[in-house]
Amino acid sequence: MTSTNRPLPKPDEDSDEFWRYCSLHELRMQRCNTCGHFRFRPSVICPNCLSTEASWERLSGTAQIHSFVVVHQQMVVGYDQVPYVIALVDLDEGPRMTTRIVDCEANDLSIGLQVQVTFEDYTDDISLPVFVPSKSRV
Amino acid sequence: MSLAGQYAIVGVGDTKVGRVPEYSKTGLALLAAARAIDDSGLSRDDVDGVLTSQMGGTFIYSLEIATKLGIQPRYTTVMELGGATSVCMAQQAAVAIEAGLANAVLCVHAQKQATEGQRPRHGGALLRGFDEFDRPFGHPGATAVHALAARRHMHLYGSTSEDFARIAVAERLHASLNANAQRREPITLEDHQASRWVIEPFRLLDCCQVSDGAGAFIVTSAKRARNLQKPPVYLLGFSQFHPHRFISDQNADLTSTGAVVSGPRAFAMAGLSPKDVDAAELYDCFTYVVLTELEDYGFCGKGEGREFIKDGRIEIGGSLPVNTHGGLLSQGHVEGMMHVVEAVRQLRGNEVEPARQVEGAKVVLVSGHGGQMSTHGSLILGTERP
Ligand SMILES: [Zn+2]
């Protein structure tokens, strides 16, 4: 487990399922039972059709880099090891999320590159979904 | 009936921008407000509406500002649209007067980030979504948001760090001519390219200042404005569009702002087009934002911004001077309020240093942009009613 003073998410009524699955190393998001739309961030309502019925479905964990940046100075507590890479990734099922790309050289990254989810454990309850470049690149 | 030209800005005020440790944030707001009242020729008792930004202030902050000015307003509220707040306050003021809620509305914003730091501006709850799904990944906020957007624009349209440099250099040139600017030493394209990476693809000189300062303006009816001490600056066209809260939204387009919707609507309201604009005060928290706004407002096509900004076109003396006060990049970061103040002074024609006066300016576009490329307000100001 990573010992850290990094800021950690504080799950609330809407998001605690998301983080509970992350702690089990499963990337799950709500899928609307009415229209099939995957949504993220967690919410009580589907932004596509306003249905309140949804199921927590497991995602493939495969995504493409939508954009990425390289942080060169410490700006967040606990992130004193620079540089590191922050990215937006588009999951194969549709949703986009903020994450970090780890185990990579920034120079090897590009928009559109395929990446795969992995989890960093911080506490018994909190694991962060981060991504690594996929081994079999298309 | 269209509101085009029915309302006007009749007073503006500001404080020193930069490091101003001798005043509190509320103190700065009150100074700017009092100067705007004085500038307008209205009496304090004529001002019966007060809008403020949230400013990280206390409960019902707009009324605290009003009370300390001796005003018991018929209309007041706090507005929070990030960097779009000031441009949207002007719109809200006009609508409130049209509805009979007030006759003259004072709009105020103050900032105290140079001496108090950036974090305390918002109380914890306001940043909740960011603190849960962005910050834990080492995401520091605005700089990373706009760097992510810039990278996407570079990928799709071939824009480069050298293109961003032209914007930084032009704005610094303008700030060098502005006595109330935080950074006045001119810079070159080479200086920009030699400045260190902050969040790649942004270098230090792609990023705005961190500032103390305040600005204010007063909106009243065109009819009331006619008999005041300074020439009215009319609200010719305005509109807003707020496409998403977070750029991690599945539908968020990182390579455009809400101006793609609000811009054409504001121009249509004014009966004008981009070619009628004499100067543009465009929200510029980072260089890249100016590039995409020029495209979004239709001064050039998508992806053509990098060609458009060449050859000094956005410098004073060029065909479209941008951020004639130096903008957030160099004059200082008062969250877009100074863009409105500057536009009014440019249109009055004799209120800024002669070296940065846009000759014969009749129409100025002002934009506001907030959050994670979330909010956008467009305001077209002019000297003549349609
Ligand atoms: Zn649905």
Side-chain angles (χ1 to χ4, degrees):
Chain A
M1 197 157 293
T2 316
S3 168
T4 183
N5 55 347
R6 288 179 176 179
L8 294 178
K10 295 183 180 64
D12 69 5
E13 297 85 342
D14 301 335
S15 65
D16 57 3
E17 285 292 280
F18 174 79
W19 293 110
R20 192 173 65 77
Y21 285 119
C22 284
S23 75
L24 303 172
H25 290 196
E26 293 181 15
L27 186 63
R28 288 183 185 252
M29 292 183 181
Q30 290 157 296
R31 186 175 198 183
C32 177
N33 289 350
T34 304
C35 76
H37 178 76
F38 277 95
R39 65 179 178 257
F40 191 72
R41 306 164 176 207
S43 172
V44 299
I45 201 157
C46 172
N48 192 48
C49 76
L50 303 189
S51 167
T52 55
E53 301 298 318
S55 315
W56 287 91
E57 282 200 19
R58 189 164 184 176
L59 276 66
S60 64
T62 306
Q64 290 192 344
I65 295 179
H66 188 80
S67 191
F68 69 101
V69 296
V70 187
V71 181
H72 284 270
Q73 76 176 65
Q74 187 191 345
M75 297 168 90
V76 176
V77 172
Y79 279 92
D80 46 354
Q81 296 289 318
V82 293
Y84 61 92
V85 175
I86 297 173
L88 292 172
V89 297
D90 292 324
L91 293 150
D92 284 1
E93 291 81 1
R96 187 184 301 168
M97 64 185 298
T98 301
T99 187
R100 249 181 299 113
I101 311 293
V102 300
D103 297 334
C104 70
E105 290 294 327
N107 286 338
D108 295 337
L109 300 180
S110 58
I111 287 175
L113 184 75
Q114 194 183 80
V115 291
Q116 186 67 34
V117 75
T118 183
F119 291 87
E120 288 180 347
D121 298 329
Y122 287 90
T123 69
D124 288 343
D125 300 322
I126 295 295
S127 298
L128 292 183
V130 297
F131 287 75
V132 294
S134 297
K135 288 202 174 61
S136 53
R137 292 183 194 175
V138 184
Chain B
M1 189 186 72
S2 168
L3 298 190
Q6 300 294 312
Y7 295 92
I9 296 178
V10 295
V12 293
D14 59 0
T15 68
K16 182 188 170 191
V17 176
R19 280 188 68 82
V20 194
E22 62 270 34
Y23 294 106
S24 70
K25 184 155 29 188
T26 298
L28 289 167
L30 294 169
L31 286 177
R35 288 169 187 170
I37 294 170
D38 185 56
D39 183 65
S40 72
L42 290 165
S43 81
R44 187 271 314 273
D45 296 336
D46 293 329
V47 177
D48 53 3
V50 176
L51 294 173
T52 72
S53 56
Q54 198 267 345
M55 294 193 244
T58 52
F59 191 48
I60 323 179
Y61 195 54
S62 62
L63 188 53
E64 179 176 336
I65 295 294
T67 299
K68 285 180 169 165
L69 292 166
I71 295 169
Q72 293 178 298
R74 288 203 291 132
Y75 172 68
T76 192
T77 196
V78 171
M79 287 179 59
E80 175 54 292
L81 291 165
T85 305
S86 292
V87 160
C88 293
M89 283 198 292
Q91 307 183 19
Q92 198 67 32
V95 169
I97 300 167
E98 175 73 15
L101 289 172
N103 290 319
V105 179
L106 169 69
C107 303
V108 192
H109 175 73
Q111 194 100 347
K112 188 82 175 160
Q113 293 194 343
T115 50
E116 288 181 0
Q118 290 177 275
R119 231 14 247 295
R121 189 176 151 250
H122 297 293
L126 285 173
L127 278 174
R128 200 182 139 63
F130 180 82
D131 282 343
E132 183 166 13
F133 290 105
D134 293 314
R135 192 181 301 283
F137 295 95
H139 191 312
T143 314
V145 164
H146 292 87
L148 284 161
R151 170 90 70 186
R152 184 97 188 147
H153 194 278
M154 294 164 86
H155 174 75
L156 290 177
Y157 302 111
S159 54
T160 65
S161 177
E162 288 83 355
D163 299 325
F164 303 157
R166 291 181 198 281
I167 293 162
V169 168
E171 295 205 22
R172 183 62 63 86
L173 172 69
H174 301 163
S176 76
L177 305 171
N178 180 354
N180 190 19
Q182 196 166 347
R183 301 300 297 272
R184 299 191 63 194
E185 64 288 359
I187 56 170
T188 63
L189 299 176
E190 292 72 27
D191 291 334
H192 175 279
Q193 289 297 292
S195 68
R196 65 180 168 82
W197 294 119
V198 177
I199 299 183
E200 195 180 340
F202 282 162
R203 301 175 183 279
L204 185 63
L205 289 177
D206 289 305
C207 305
C208 62
Q209 301 301 311
V210 177
S211 313
D212 303 333
F217 59 86
I218 297 173
V219 177
T220 192
S221 67
K223 187 177 175 200
R224 182 79 178 86
R226 274 202 294 275
N227 304 315
L228 295 173
Q229 64 190 18
K230 290 194 172 173
V233 168
Y234 297 105
L235 279 59
L236 301 181
F238 53 78
S239 184
Q240 306 174 22
F241 188 62
H242 312 297
H244 56 260
R245 176 63 189 89
F246 297 103
I247 55 169
S248 59
D249 184 280
Q250 189 176 336
N251 300 315
D253 179 356
L254 279 62
T255 59
S256 69
T257 67
V260 293
V261 174
S262 66
R265 293 188 73 95
F267 278 118
M269 176 176 168
L272 297 170
S273 74
K275 67 175 165 33
D276 299 310
V277 174
D278 298 309
E281 316 296 357
L282 301 178
Y283 199 85
D284 59 329
C285 42
F286 301 92
T287 49
Y288 159 71
V289 179
V290 173
L291 189 76
T292 190
E293 285 177 294
L294 288 167
E295 297 169 351
D296 296 344
Y297 276 102
F299 293 105
C300 57
K302 200 68 204 167
E304 294 170 5
R306 56 186 309 237
E307 290 300 321
F308 183 85
I309 61 175
K310 287 180 178 168
D311 305 320
R313 185 177 266 158
I314 60 171
E315 294 176 6
I316 288 165
S319 61
L320 184 73
V322 170
N323 293 340
T324 49
H325 54 323
L328 308 182
L329 291 175
S330 286
Q331 194 228 3
H333 193 314
V334 192
E335 216 175 32
M337 172 54 81
M338 303 304 280
H339 289 58
V340 179
V341 171
E342 172 71 6
V344 170
R345 289 178 173 157
Q346 284 283 347
L347 288 164
R348 285 173 172 178
N350 56 359
E351 299 207 344
V352 304
E353 290 85 348
R356 63 186 185 89
Q357 174 67 48
V358 177
E359 276 311 307
K362 288 189 163 55
V363 175
V364 176
L365 169 68
V366 190
S367 75
H369 159 105
Q372 295 198 354
M373 304 186 61
S374 316
T375 60
H376 198 92
S378 305
L379 179 64
I380 300 168
L381 298 174
T383 55
E384 293 166 14
R385 298 180 65 188

